Amino acid sequence: MGDFLLMGFEYAEGRHSDLSPGSPDLVTMAATLAELASWECPDLPVLPVEKRWAHCADGPDSLATITGSALVHADLTAENVIIGDRPWVVDWAWPSRGAPWLDAAAMVARLIQAGHEPAEAEAWAASVPAWRAAPPAAIGAYARLRASLAAARGAPIAHAWRRYLSYLEGERNL
């Protein structure tokens, strides 16, 4: 018997999360990311982030900063978290293995895109323990990588990543 792909589906009652400033969903999102960051990646053929994004990294040193053994969603958006009787993280098209803080870092750019100032978005991320443990230089390397990826794809999030990078390089001096 050859290789096969198994997909499972479950209906999740709810609505997309709201990332706008002042949204009550921000507390739920932080708790969800804290839990997600604690999950070890299962022993499955999941692509490590250093391979997934090698083509847009500054080099091997920047890739080394994002490696890890956590299960990483790698594409969290407001639409990928359904708020219902509990939060549901959906659309796992890019499951990856990497540093446990990567999804929180990506959410910083999503919050900026939703109208938060970069400092506010980072203050929100500080409620996620894995984020607080992330080396600042690693966050900068990851932001450069994701900004490069978004720009290459012409993705709307590219502007938020550029804005975050300007903040990191200016106010945070990374």
Side-chain angles (χ1 to χ4, degrees):
M1 182 175 257
D3 292 338
F4 62 94
L5 175 66
L6 175 67
M7 295 177 68
F9 297 91
E10 181 176 349
Y11 177 75
E13 181 77 34
R15 59 175 172 73
H16 297 294
S17 60
D18 175 6
L19 302 179
S20 65
S23 169
D25 291 352
L26 296 174
V27 173
T28 301
M29 183 66 78
T32 301
L33 284 175
E35 181 181 345
L36 180 59
S38 72
W39 295 351
E40 288 292 312
C41 189
D43 188 21
L44 295 170
V46 174
L47 199 59
V49 292
E50 64 271 18
K51 288 187 180 174
R52 179 174 302 284
W53 293 319
H55 65 284
C56 55
D58 290 340
D61 290 342
S62 67
L63 290 172
T65 67
I66 63 172
T67 61
S69 60
L71 178 62
V72 178
H73 186 281
D75 188 32
L76 274 180
T77 65
E79 293 77 21
N80 289 346
V81 179
I82 305 296
I83 306 293
D85 59 339
R86 56 163 277 212
W88 295 85
V89 179
V90 300
D91 190 6
W92 286 81
W94 289 6
S96 302
R97 177 180 290 110
W101 52 267
L102 293 176
D103 285 327
M107 192 53 63
V108 168
R110 294 292 176 185
L111 292 175
I112 294 167
Q113 185 182 37
H116 297 259
E117 292 299 319
E120 296 167 343
E122 278 200 331
W124 170 88
S127 67
V128 178
W131 168 268
R132 290 192 307 267
I139 292 170
Y142 181 63
R144 282 188 296 281
L145 182 151
R146 290 301 300 261
S148 173
L149 177 65
R153 292 183 173 171
I157 191 70
H159 175 72
W161 278 114
R162 283 192 305 275
R163 196 161 164 233
Y164 185 44
L165 275 174
S166 292
Y167 167 79
L168 289 175
E169 293 165 354
E171 289 191 38
R172 296 255 328 261
N173 201 23
L174 289 182

